DNA sequence: GCCAACGTTGGC
DNA sequence: GCCAACGTTGGC
């Protein structure tokens, strides 16, 4: 199957694209996801090599700031089993994990971040899941055209 | 800090 | 299975 594309949101005060660039092997587990739609996307649809747009939310100028890649298949999110983690889930067990994570690796920072405002102004992105009213998913699918259009808005060929 | 939108929970 | 209450997200 052709590689798919995704957009992942993160609050930069919590975990920024720079944090990912500075992580060992520029890779981190994308764990702590506690939304079933997102869980299903990660578990059932993500494939290593899928391209990702890294989006900073809840900040002055919400923007896509970097490109990343899915770096592992989905695996049970260890934080669900850790009573010390804020993402601990009493109802999850090793036999029947509820939550999944994938590893995410930074590819490159965008020369020019692509702001939410800029994306709203681009007709090719009019159907983008991120721009739909009321959408709050932290991971969502992006079409190949949308992916390339965002890169074009960032000044990349 | 406000508030709209939406997911989850739990009583019935 | 309904739905009100509550919590969270995230742009503004």
């Amino acid at each position: 199957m052709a590689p798919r594309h995704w957009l992942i949101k993160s609050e930069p005060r919590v975990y920024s694209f720079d944090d990912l660039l500075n992580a060992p092997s520029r890779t981190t587990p994308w764990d702590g996801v506690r939304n079933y739609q997102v869980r299903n996307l990660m578990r059932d649809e993500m494939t290593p090599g899928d391209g990702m747009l890294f989006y900073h939310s809840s900040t002055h100028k919400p923007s896509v700031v970097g490109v990343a890649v899915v770096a592992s298949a989905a695996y049970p999110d260890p934080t669900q089993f850790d009573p010390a983690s804020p993402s601990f889930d009493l109802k999850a067990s090793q036999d029947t994990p509820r939550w999944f994570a994938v590893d995410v690796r930074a590819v490159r920072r965008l020369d020019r971040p692509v702001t939410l405002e800029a994306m709203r102004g681009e007709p090719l992105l009019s159907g983008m899941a991120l721009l739909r009213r009321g959408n709050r998913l932290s991971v969502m699918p992006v079409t190949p055209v949308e992916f390339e259009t965002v890169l074009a808005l960032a000044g990349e060929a």
Side-chain angles (χ1 to χ4, degrees):
Chain A
M1 201 161 109
R4 299 195 54 177
H5 300 81
W6 309 96
L7 180 143
I8 57 174
K9 292 182 191 169
S10 188
E11 299 188 29
R13 279 167 296 192
V14 178
Y15 197 88
S16 71
F17 192 68
D18 278 346
D19 291 332
L20 184 58
L21 282 172
N22 292 328
S25 305
R26 304 201 297 184
T27 302
T28 200
W30 211 248
D31 57 18
V33 168
R34 294 296 179 268
N35 172 283
Y36 288 103
Q37 274 179 266
V38 174
R39 188 274 310 265
N40 293 345
L41 289 176
M42 291 201 305
R43 186 191 57 191
D44 305 333
E45 313 266 354
M46 280 191 181
T47 306
D50 286 357
M52 308 178 109
L53 301 172
F54 196 106
Y55 175 83
H56 280 170
S57 65
S58 291
T59 186
H60 177 56
K61 270 193 180 300
S63 312
V64 174
V65 296
V67 178
V69 68
V70 176
S72 78
Y75 55 90
D77 177 346
T79 65
Q80 70 194 303
F81 308 126
D82 176 6
S85 167
S87 302
F88 177 64
D89 188 338
L90 190 57
K91 295 177 183 166
S93 72
Q94 299 277 352
D95 286 346
T96 56
R98 265 195 180 190
W99 305 110
F100 289 79
V102 299
D103 289 345
V104 172
R105 182 170 65 244
V107 174
R108 65 181 178 280
R109 189 201 318 274
L110 295 181
D111 289 339
R112 263 191 280 142
V114 180
T115 64
L116 184 59
E117 190 184 12
M119 289 189 278
R120 287 199 193 284
E122 170 50 62
L124 286 173
L125 300 180
S126 60
M128 199 174 181
L130 177 72
L131 307 183
R132 276 204 281 275
R133 184 177 144 81
N135 173 52
R136 298 180 310 155
L137 293 184
S138 60
V139 172
M140 44 198 131
V142 171
T143 68
V145 168
E146 290 165 350
F147 192 84
E148 294 305 322
T149 300
V150 170
L151 296 187
L153 289 175
E156 300 193 1

